[in-house]
């Protein structure tokens, strides 16, 4: 699975939300710095070339839909980020969030309880 640019990710989030859409419907969802229609169409076609979306043709018009789920992309993105920025260590990632006060001790206890409940000791 290829890495997406920030703009491609933005468009994918719109397609995941809409499930299927024409370029003009995607355009309507972009709230900041709307690209030109042709630029957006090119981005979506690039997503298709990368294997993230496909389309149904209605004459000269195409309705696009995601073929990679948000969950699959999220897993791939997170695994790559953890490998790249945290030396493949989830512990390093969580400790960074704790040091920067992005996660509380209570949230960590909840995560630990979830892990212990999913993997009871034998």
């Amino acid at each position: 699975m290829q890495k997406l640019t920030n703009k491609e990710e933005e468009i994918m989030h719109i397609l995941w939300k809409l499930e299927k859409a024409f370029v003009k419907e995607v355009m309507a969802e972009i709230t900041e710095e709307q690209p030109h229609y042709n630029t957006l169409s090119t981005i979506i076609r690039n997503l298709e070339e990368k294997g993230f979306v496909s389309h149904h043709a209605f004459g000269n018009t195409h309705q696009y839909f995601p073929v990679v789920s948000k969950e699959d992309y999220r897993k791939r993105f997170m695994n790559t980020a953890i490998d790249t920025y945290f030396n493949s260590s989830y512990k390093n990632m969580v400790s960074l969030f704790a040091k920067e006060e992005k996660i509380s001790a209570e949230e960590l206890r909840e995560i630990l309880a979830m892990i212990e409940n999913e993997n009871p000791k034998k």
Side-chain angles (χ1 to χ4, degrees), residues 90-117:
Y90 288 86
K91 177 182 163 187
N92 289 345
M93 181 190 69
V94 172
S95 68
L96 172 76
F97 292 139
K99 287 177 192 171
E100 293 189 0
E101 298 179 2
K102 304 285 185 193
I103 190 168
S104 68
E106 180 59 32
E107 289 169 320
L108 287 171
R109 283 189 283 278
E110 289 174 16
I111 292 168
L112 186 56
M114 287 170 41
I115 292 169
E116 289 173 345
N117 287 335

Side-chain angles (χ1 to χ4, degrees), residues 43-60:
I43 292 169
I44 294 173
R45 283 194 311 274
N46 288 342
L47 286 167
E48 189 168 25
E49 287 176 22
K50 289 182 176 184
F52 282 85
V53 302
S54 189
H55 73 271
H56 295 296
F58 296 93
N60 292 335

Side-chain angles (χ1 to χ4, degrees), residues 13-99:
H13 281 283
I14 292 169
L15 286 170
W16 284 320
K17 175 185 166 190
L18 298 177
E19 297 180 0
K20 58 184 177 184
F22 296 98
V23 174
K24 66 180 180 175
E25 293 169 324
V26 174
M27 180 75 79
E29 293 289 318
I30 299 173
T31 56
E32 295 180 13
E33 296 184 40
Q34 282 192 341
H36 187 276
Y37 181 92
N38 291 340
T39 302
L40 179 57
S41 182
T42 298
I43 292 169
I44 294 173
R45 283 194 311 274
N46 288 342
L47 286 167
E48 189 168 25
E49 287 176 22
K50 289 182 176 184
F52 282 85
V53 302
S54 189
H55 73 271
H56 295 296
F58 296 93
N60 292 335
T61 306
H62 293 161
Q63 183 181 48
Y64 295 93
F65 57 91
V67 293
V68 172
S69 73
K70 188 175 184 178
E71 179 70 13
D72 287 343
Y73 185 73
R74 181 191 62 82
K75 285 179 187 177
R76 174 74 172 171
F77 175 81
M78 288 304 299
N79 288 337
T80 300
I82 291 166
D83 291 346
T84 302
Y85 299 106
F86 299 100
N87 297 322
S88 302
S89 170
Y90 288 86
K91 177 182 163 187
N92 289 345
M93 181 190 69
V94 172
S95 68
L96 172 76
F97 292 139
K99 287 177 192 171

